[in-house]
Amino acid sequence: MKSDRLLAILLLLQTRGRVPADELAAELEVSTRTIYRDVEALSAAGVPVYAERGRHGGITLLSGYRTDVTGLTSDEARALFILAAQGAHSALGLDSALVSALRKVMAALPAPHRPVAELTSRRILVDPDRWLNGPRAEVELEVLHTAVFTDRRLRLRYRHSGESRLRTYTVDPYGLVSKAGVWYLVADRRRSPALFRVDRIASASVLEEQVRRRDGAELADVWQTLRRRVEDRPRQVLVTARVHRSRFDMFTRIVGPTLIGTLGPDGEQEGAGQAEDGTKSAGGGDGQGERQGERQGEWVTVRLAFSVLAGVAMLLQFGPWVEVLDPPEAIDLLLLRADEVAALYRPQGGSAAPYEPEE
């Protein structure tokens, strides 16, 4: 609606000051000509807005002009109070500021919108943490926060996953990202994007040097690049396994994107599609088909894809409720790991009693 767009222009100008017409047009997804028509409409309504020509020109409001209009609709107010339920503010030390801000927003809302906004904050809770995460190491965001907002370089002492020694890096930060309750520092290292999990940063110091970000690169864009790098790793180790039906729901939650589909009685795949290398998932040979047919109602046959063969070892956590059927090298790996664990717990000079799973 035109009225919504006029209000959006007014609020953008109040927030940013002078804004080029083409930038407003891109932000609001209209033509530059439409922006100029809207500016004329605002001016006719008494808003002191004007256009400045030249290389550094743009649309601007008369200096000192402000309006108290919030322009919030009922749905927009509800969205703000749902956002408030997320827990990132605590780590940034902004809990009290958030409460104060929401109190002011509530006071500024039109009276008809206040009850639904208040009800939303009491009826909707967003908890970003996954189940059974366990205790997390405390993270210190103050130094990182300072570097991000003062545009300074950072020197980190960082421990990578699976390593005990610390490495030293000098990085150019773009910002901080909270994903599933875990904080990450997004930065450039030697002009290439890098991701640092905050709870693995042993120490951080802000340098005097100005940050050296790549031209045009923004936090959201760099984050998407890093996210794709993590999620789009080639998964070329295809594994067929059977899962006891009583554990199937838990299995799917834990293995996540590793699961690419289930197999029907005829060996044809049902559900999600192909491995990352484009290989179509399929069933096993004749021997595997006989195995699947045995007690078919109690077991679900699945297809999984791993980046490396060593990743298959994660299936050992399911004990006798998951059995790998193919390929042979995956079975050999599990036998090796199981023997290593058994040797760790086997009494000297004896053997442990066989484990009988409960039904």
Side-chain angles (χ1 to χ4, degrees):
M1 294 176 60
K2 182 176 180 179
S3 58
D4 291 337
R5 192 171 65 247
L6 293 176
L7 180 58
I9 292 173
L10 180 56
L11 294 175
L12 285 169
L13 293 178
Q14 285 190 172
T15 303
R16 302 182 187 176
R18 184 184 296 107
V19 183
D22 56 353
E23 187 175 318
L24 285 172
E27 181 95 13
L28 300 175
E29 299 180 345
V30 295
S31 68
T32 304
R33 182 175 296 180
T34 297
I35 292 296
Y36 282 119
R37 284 200 299 265
D38 288 345
V39 168
E40 290 177 4
L42 285 170
S43 181
V47 176
V49 59
Y50 60 96
E52 292 185 344
R53 299 184 180 277
R55 181 178 178 184
H56 301 292
I59 312 296
T60 188
L61 291 168
L62 187 66
S63 178
Y65 176 81
R66 302 292 297 176
T67 177
D68 292 331
V69 63
T70 65
L72 288 176
T73 67
S74 178
D75 283 345
E76 289 167 345
R78 290 172 62 197
L80 280 177
F81 282 83
I82 291 174
L83 176 66
Q86 300 181 7
H89 309 88
S90 298
L92 294 171
L94 296 175
D95 267 349
S96 59
L98 176 66
V99 172
S100 175
L102 290 179
R103 190 182 300 119
K104 293 175 182 177
V105 170
M106 182 70 78
L109 284 176
H113 295 345
R114 291 174 192 166
V116 70
E118 183 179 0
L119 184 63
T120 297
S121 67
R122 292 164 48 203
R123 295 289 183 263
I124 304 295
L125 176 66
V126 180
D127 184 348
D129 292 341
R130 298 182 63 181
W131 290 107
L132 304 175
N133 265 342
R136 284 207 185 102
E138 291 292 327
V139 298
E140 181 54 64
L141 293 177
E142 185 175 351
V143 174
L144 305 181
H145 187 271
T146 299
V148 165
F149 281 94
T150 59
D151 290 332
R152 301 288 181 181
R153 306 189 85 194
L154 273 168
R155 179 163 292 128
L156 306 177
R157 294 277 289 160
Y158 187 76
R159 180 185 63 81
H160 289 276
S161 177
E163 295 185 3
S164 57
R165 71 186 184 95
L166 297 175
R167 299 174 184 263
T168 302
Y169 299 113
T170 298
V171 300
D172 300 291
Y174 286 93
L176 295 162
V177 174
S178 177
K179 180 174 176 61
V182 178
W183 283 96
Y184 296 90
L185 172 69
V186 176
D188 272 353
R189 177 175 173 264
R190 296 178 179 174
R191 308 290 292 174
S192 295
L195 190 62
F196 300 91
R197 184 165 165 150
V198 172
D199 58 10
R200 294 202 197 114
I201 297 177
S203 65
S205 56
V206 181
L207 304 182
E208 291 298 321
E209 303 170 66
Q210 282 283 341
V211 74
R212 304 171 188 172
R213 301 186 185 110
R214 286 168 286 131
D215 291 341
E218 294 291 342
L219 173 62
D221 301 323
V222 180
W223 169 251
Q224 288 303 320
T225 298
L226 292 166
R227 180 174 175 171
R228 285 194 299 269
R229 184 184 296 176
V230 172
E231 294 180 346
D232 296 347
R233 289 172 180 166
R235 296 183 294 158
Q236 299 179 346
V237 179
L238 302 182
V239 172
T240 304
R242 64 177 195 158
V243 183
H244 197 275
R245 196 171 293 278
S246 65
R247 299 295 191 274
F248 185 69
D249 288 341
M250 178 183 69
F251 176 83
T252 56
R253 288 197 303 270
I254 293 175
V255 300
T258 303
L259 179 65
I260 59 174
T262 59
L263 299 181
D266 58 357
E268 289 296 319
Q269 178 160 319
E270 302 169 350
Q274 297 183 346
E276 293 295 323
D277 63 351
T279 306
K280 180 176 174 58
S281 303
D286 294 339
Q288 179 185 310
E290 293 174 6
R291 196 71 169 277
Q292 293 169 12
E294 179 186 359
R295 303 169 68 193
Q296 182 66 39
E298 296 183 17
W299 297 88
V300 180
T301 305
V302 299
R303 196 71 157 156
L304 305 128
F306 294 91
S307 301
V308 293
L309 182 62
V312 179
M314 72 171 290
L315 300 179
L316 284 172
Q317 67 183 295
F318 299 102
W321 306 108
V322 172
E323 180 186 6
V324 170
L325 307 173
D326 188 66
E329 55 267 30
I331 298 173
D332 291 342
L333 174 71
L334 293 179
L335 285 170
L336 176 62
R337 295 290 176 261
D339 285 344
E340 291 172 345
V341 173
L344 183 64
Y345 291 101
R346 184 178 296 121
Q348 291 292 331
S351 60
Y355 171 73
E356 294 292 340
E358 297 178 2
E359 291 293 341

